[in-house]
Amino acid sequence: MSLFSYEGFFVLTILMLALDLYQTRGGQVTIKKAAIWSLFWVALALIFNVVIYMYWPQMAPDSAYTNSEAATAFLTGYLLEKSLSVDNLFVFALIFGQFAVPESIRPRVLMLGVVGALILRAFMIMVGSELLTQFHWILYIFAAFLLYTGYKLWSEDEEEQEDFSESLPVRLVKKCFRVTDDYKGNRFFVKDSKGWLATPLLIVIAVIALTDVMFALDSIPAIFAVTKEPFLVMTANVFALLGLRSLYFVLEGMLTRFCYLRPALAFILSFIGIKMLLMETAYAIPTVISLGVIVLTITIAIVGSLWKTREVKVKA
């Protein structure tokens, strides 16, 4: 079994998830520790990008990509998925606040959210890749969806926060189980004299599972506009999600400062949608141009946000 096979990368993913779980054991994650691990996961992705550049023919013998094209596609896909994953953090923070999730169990909740996202995206990548192979016109549906998503992000009111308290997962759990008033550590169920009860933790996991589906519907079509190579799509998603937990604890107190992130993501999704529409034409946008647009847009959004909110106090 080779690292360059799907089986080999699956084993590597399991090992990396185990490492991520180990470094947040006990539920206490300091900002310093989270920052170090965030840099570690980014560095690991960049190292993997170098490996792609050096060994791409062995990874995908039948690919039409050159080494540099494959490396550029992976890096572009990784940065795209990483940028979109930051939007997940806003929703995670909102869910944690609305359901009063204790800080001690947030790392576990995030891990389950990441694992769920990985499983969903792996499934959607396989389905999406097969659909694009069999039905080329699906490309234009993906493009239209990305343009619509970009428009929604651009036009929605950031001040109007979504209320998850009456969402479908909450109603389903409450319909099937009695629910305790408070959390019981990491337990999903507890038992009393009348039988089994669900804890609020089960509701939180159900809500996060639904958000995973929603985010996958955005991110998978977006990365297919960058590359149709399933191995690159899968690995870019895995590396983008692996550092999500640590990144959450780094940015937890700063999320309100990124006021220009949503408009930036709206522009990126719209740009990627246009790129997808032009893929089979004489006006196709090179991947290296897409990489430059993503890096420049996110950089401007971050710098602009931090400058505009420079007097805002950061949560300790």
Side-chain angles (χ1 to χ4, degrees), residues 98 112 120 147 200 251:
Q98 288 186 4
L112 293 173
L120 280 168
L147 290 170
L251 301 178

Side-chain angles (χ1 to χ4, degrees), residues 28-304:
Q28 299 301 320
V29 182
T30 64
I31 292 181
K32 179 180 178 181
K33 181 179 179 181
I36 292 173
W37 278 98
S38 294
L39 292 174
F40 169 80
W41 293 119
V42 172
L44 197 62
L46 295 178
I47 290 172
F48 189 78
N49 195 45
V50 173
V51 172
I52 289 176
Y53 180 78
M54 295 175 63
Y55 299 104
W56 179 245
Q58 291 92 318
M59 290 181 170
D62 299 326
S63 174
Y65 282 179
T66 64
N67 294 46
S68 59
E69 288 172 340
T72 301
F74 171 83
L75 183 59
T76 305
Y78 169 74
L79 291 177
L80 174 61
E81 295 300 308
K82 199 70 172 177
S83 302
L84 293 173
S85 71
V86 175
D87 197 35
N88 296 36
L89 302 185
F90 284 93
V91 179
F92 288 157
L94 186 59
I95 292 172
F96 289 160
Q98 288 186 4
F99 292 96
V101 180
E103 291 190 5
S104 60
I105 64 174
R106 290 184 182 185
R108 179 181 176 87
V109 173
L110 286 169
M111 171 56 78
L112 293 173
V114 168
V115 171
L118 285 171
I119 294 172
L120 280 168
R121 293 187 187 202
F123 172 76
M124 293 186 69
I125 288 167
M126 289 187 293
V127 172
S129 180
E130 184 64 25
L131 285 174
L132 286 174
T133 301
Q134 300 294 328
F135 309 102
H136 181 266
W137 50 266
I138 293 288
L139 197 71
Y140 302 108
I141 295 179
F142 283 176
F145 181 76
L146 291 176
L147 290 170
Y148 173 71
T149 305
Y151 168 76
K152 279 183 61 180
L153 273 178
W154 191 276
S155 60
E156 70 181 7
D157 185 2
E158 291 190 38
E159 299 299 322
E160 187 177 332
Q161 293 186 335
E162 185 174 356
D163 183 8
F164 292 97
S165 60
E166 294 299 326
S167 60
L168 178 61
V170 176
R171 297 199 304 272
L172 285 176
V173 172
K174 288 185 175 180
K175 185 176 181 179
C176 296
F177 304 98
R178 293 177 297 137
V179 181
T180 61
D181 293 328
D182 53 1
Y183 291 86
K184 305 295 181 182
N186 291 328
R187 300 172 68 181
F188 294 110
F189 296 96
V190 294
K191 193 174 183 180
D192 64 6
S193 59
K194 297 181 180 179
W196 290 98
L197 297 87
T199 69
L201 181 58
L202 182 65
I203 292 178
V204 171
I205 294 300
V207 172
I208 285 182
L210 179 64
T211 62
D212 281 342
V213 173
M214 296 298 102
F215 282 118
L217 289 175
D218 291 343
S219 63
I220 299 305
I223 197 170
F224 272 123
V226 174
T227 176
K228 296 178 187 176
E229 288 282 351
F231 187 75
L232 294 178
V233 173
M234 177 65 71
T235 53
N237 269 276
V238 169
F239 278 104
L241 287 172
L242 272 173
L244 193 59
R245 292 201 315 153
S246 297
L247 187 60
Y248 173 83
F249 293 105
V250 173
L251 301 178
E252 184 178 19
M254 299 177 59
L255 289 175
T256 55
R257 296 191 61 186
F258 293 107
C259 56
Y260 293 132
L261 180 64
R262 289 291 178 90
L265 293 179
F267 173 78
I268 289 173
L269 286 174
S270 300
F271 171 79
I272 294 297
I274 293 171
K275 172 180 169 60
M276 186 170 273
L277 286 174
L278 299 176
M279 282 180 71
E280 305 298 329
T281 73
Y283 303 100
I285 301 173
T287 301
V288 68
I289 298 296
S290 302
L291 175 60
V293 169
I294 292 171
V295 170
L296 182 62
T297 303
I298 292 299
T299 300
I300 292 174
I302 292 174
V303 173

